[in-house]
Amino acid sequence: MDVSVDRSRNIVVLRVSGSLDALTAGELSDRFSALIDGGEARLVADLAGLDYTSSAGLRTLLGALKQARGAGGDLRLAAVQGPVKKVLDLSGFSGIMKLFSDVESAIDSYSE
Amino acid sequence: MTARRELLLEARPESLAEIREFVLAAGQDVGMTAEAVRDLVLAADEIAANIVEHGYGSAQGGPIRVAFEVTGEEVRVAIEDEADCFDVATVSDPDLESDWQERQIGGLGWFLVRNLVDEIRHRPRTPVGNVYELIKRAR
């Protein structure tokens, strides 16, 4: 699992690729927390390269969502792939998070 | 025709990827659809992750045995441990209707397992441990 961080128009974009499971989800949780604790709570997760998540990844996303919204920001998801989308739908997460087909749309949504 | 293969490894977070690869390869080899094998891989990961995180408690891991077997149209993945007996029935589903502030972190793993496979069976293992069986029918 790899995470790279970029900033665009004051929005932090985390590109997450590979697989999220009980081994790797903690690293992503730490990256989210560090950003939000540092005052950057308007986040987009670019999931184009994420081909797998288990419930460990869902817990990471939910934890970051709560923390970001609690800090006045949000965590929005972009380019969610089929297998990950299925898990988000099944768990009801796609009903409580905002999903976008691409990163630009997700970034734009913060301006609306 | 019955085909059976087994994997024995330690209950560590690093083992989860190997378990996924094992189930993926086995499922592909017997001609499961891509979605069916993905469902089975995730269900196996959830069971194994639960063993890794809770099964052996503070002990430094223990064995996990994963067996993949096909009988007719039934694909069966059995996951065994030697940890304390765990009653699957005690895990309740998460509340899917709650909003983001109320959503609880727990309970997601078992919920996914129940919704990804056709049947889950659990029985105690002799002399100690658990056997979890994931059944997926009609590949």
Side-chain angles (χ1 to χ4, degrees), chain B residues 39-51:
Chain B
D39 288 351
L40 196 50
V41 165
L42 178 50
D45 184 337
E46 296 293 346
I47 300 267
N50 193 67
I51 295 169

Side-chain angles (χ1 to χ4, degrees), chain B residues 39-87:
Chain B
D39 288 351
L40 196 50
V41 165
L42 178 50
D45 184 337
E46 296 293 346
I47 300 267
N50 193 67
I51 295 169
V52 168
E53 290 173 68
H54 304 295
Y56 288 104
S58 54
Q60 287 303 299
I64 293 184
R65 179 178 282 104
V66 184
F68 183 101
E69 190 165 23
V70 177
T71 307
E73 288 301 303
E74 189 174 279
V75 175
R76 191 163 57 249
V77 172
I79 301 174
E80 285 186 37
D81 65 27
E82 294 176 15
D84 289 340
C85 200
F86 178 82
D87 186 357

